[in-house]
Amino acid sequence: MKIAVTTSSFATYGSEPLDLLARAGADIVTNPHGRKLRPEETVALLAGCAGVVAGTEDLGAAVLKRLPELRAISRCGVGLDNVDLPWCEAHGVAVLNTPQGPTLAVAELTLGLILDLLRNVSRMDRELRGGTWKKRMGWQLAGKRVGVVGYGRIGRATGELLRAAGCEVASFDPRPTCPTTPCLPLHDLLAWADIVTLHCSKPEGDCAVIGAAELARMRPGSWLVNCGRGGLVDEDALFAALDSGHLSGAAVDCFGQEPYTGPLRGLDNVILTPHIGSYAREGRVRMEADAVRNLLAALGGHA
């Protein structure tokens, strides 16, 4: 059976995922572009494929209807925003994801970005490299109130790390599942928290979870972190909140359009990373192997 792999860095850090495919006798085609595929490139690569180990490329109805042999999509990651789930259900295409692999990697990145924001690490690094020796006063993480928006696997793992660092943690989730963590309405959480970190799904349509009204609700001098999904934050509104000084800083790992080329790059009080939440070697290898196992099981193979 012919299997496509669209993620550009697949099996770079461990051979197990490709070994699993090879043992299953798969005919493997890989992403030749070294970046996220455009729709026409996706159609070309997946032509004749029974399954795909997928990244974040567009797998909407306009793409999928041109791939009649496709029987299964296995996301190497958690989010399925790029996949037309109703279309897949209607046409018998199995859709799977890998929720376990990236959990701790994303939680640790979130913690690292928060510490970086509070202590101005990246900002002072840039200044020192540019010839400016300036000691910027920062803040301690211990004692801070952290609001976690989305309290699934990654949100809970992030909350546990933050509590271990001495933070007070509360959450917002439409379906709260953790009785030991206070769950507040979103607007109340935003007004309560010193730091807000996003780990939720993107709502239907183009509506952001955090727009101008929500940013205005946040405490003056607070911080925002998005290691969740692109499109969760209105990036123009975030620019205004950072530029005005209403927010002390922000860290953004996921963007509405990637690669990101927007105006946030011109601000000193924001940390920007190129969607690397799952890019820890251990988590990445596990996630890729899980994606292959899911795909082979869906196609009736074995791992």
Side-chain angles (χ1 to χ4, degrees):
M1 61 186 165
K2 188 176 180 183
I3 300 294
V5 177
T6 62
T7 61
S8 59
S9 60
F10 190 79
T12 300
Y13 303 104
S15 65
E16 181 184 1
L18 281 178
D19 293 343
L20 290 169
L21 287 171
R23 285 201 298 270
D27 177 13
I28 308 164
V29 293
T30 58
N31 180 346
H33 302 285
R35 55 165 170 75
K36 179 178 174 179
L37 296 176
R38 301 184 180 101
E40 286 297 325
E41 294 166 344
T42 301
V43 172
L45 187 70
L46 271 60
C49 289
V52 56
V53 176
T56 58
E57 66 279 352
D58 181 359
L59 291 171
V63 169
L64 294 171
K65 69 183 181 182
R66 299 171 63 185
L67 301 168
E69 297 181 53
L70 190 67
R71 293 161 43 205
I73 297 167
S74 183
R75 263 283 284 126
C76 188
V78 180
L80 295 170
D81 302 335
N82 60 315
V83 182
D84 190 326
L85 297 176
W87 192 96
C88 289
E89 183 176 4
H91 292 82
V93 177
V95 180
L96 310 105
N97 66 352
T98 55
Q100 299 293 343
T103 297
L104 189 56
V106 178
E108 288 182 349
L109 177 64
T110 302
L111 177 62
L113 290 172
I114 289 172
L115 288 167
D116 191 334
L117 283 173
L118 295 182
R119 297 299 297 271
N120 294 299
V121 175
S122 290
R123 187 172 185 176
M124 287 187 286
D125 174 76
R126 290 192 299 269
E127 290 173 342
L128 193 151
R129 291 171 187 271
T132 299
W133 180 275
K134 182 175 182 178
K135 300 180 181 182
R136 291 186 175 274
M137 185 61 68
W139 294 263
Q140 288 187 173
L141 178 57
K144 294 293 182 293
R145 296 176 173 181
V146 183
V148 183
V149 179
Y151 216 62
R153 290 181 179 87
I154 293 174
R156 291 196 300 272
T158 303
E160 289 170 6
L161 291 178
L162 290 163
R163 268 193 293 267
C167 295
E168 184 179 353
V169 177
S171 68
F172 164 76
D173 196 293
R175 296 177 296 277
T177 58
C178 185
T180 60
T181 299
C183 188
L184 306 176
L186 179 59
H187 277 205
D188 292 345
L189 186 77
L190 297 176
W192 170 84
D194 300 305
I195 303 161
V196 174
T197 179
L198 306 180
H199 302 285
C200 54
S201 300
K202 191 175 183 297
E204 293 293 332
D206 295 327
C207 180
V209 172
I210 304 295
E214 288 74 24
L215 291 166
R217 183 79 174 170
M218 290 178 63
R219 299 177 68 179
S222 58
W223 296 267
L224 177 69
V225 177
N226 181 17
C227 287
R229 302 280 189 279
L232 290 179
V233 181
D234 182 326
E235 291 164 5
D236 292 333
L238 178 59
F239 178 91
L242 290 166
D243 192 44
S244 70
H246 175 65
L247 296 186
S248 285
V252 185
D253 184 52
C254 313
F255 303 87
Q257 294 292 327
E258 297 179 353
Y260 179 73
T261 59
L264 289 171
R265 296 181 304 159
L267 297 177
D268 287 329
N269 56 345
V270 62
I271 301 165
L272 307 175
T273 51
H275 206 150
I276 57 163
S278 66
Y279 275 60
R281 289 174 185 262
E282 300 89 344
R284 187 72 187 180
V285 172
R286 177 182 176 182
M287 187 168 62
E288 291 174 348
D290 286 350
V292 170
R293 292 190 185 96
N294 287 344
L295 186 65
L296 293 175
L299 294 172
H302 60 279

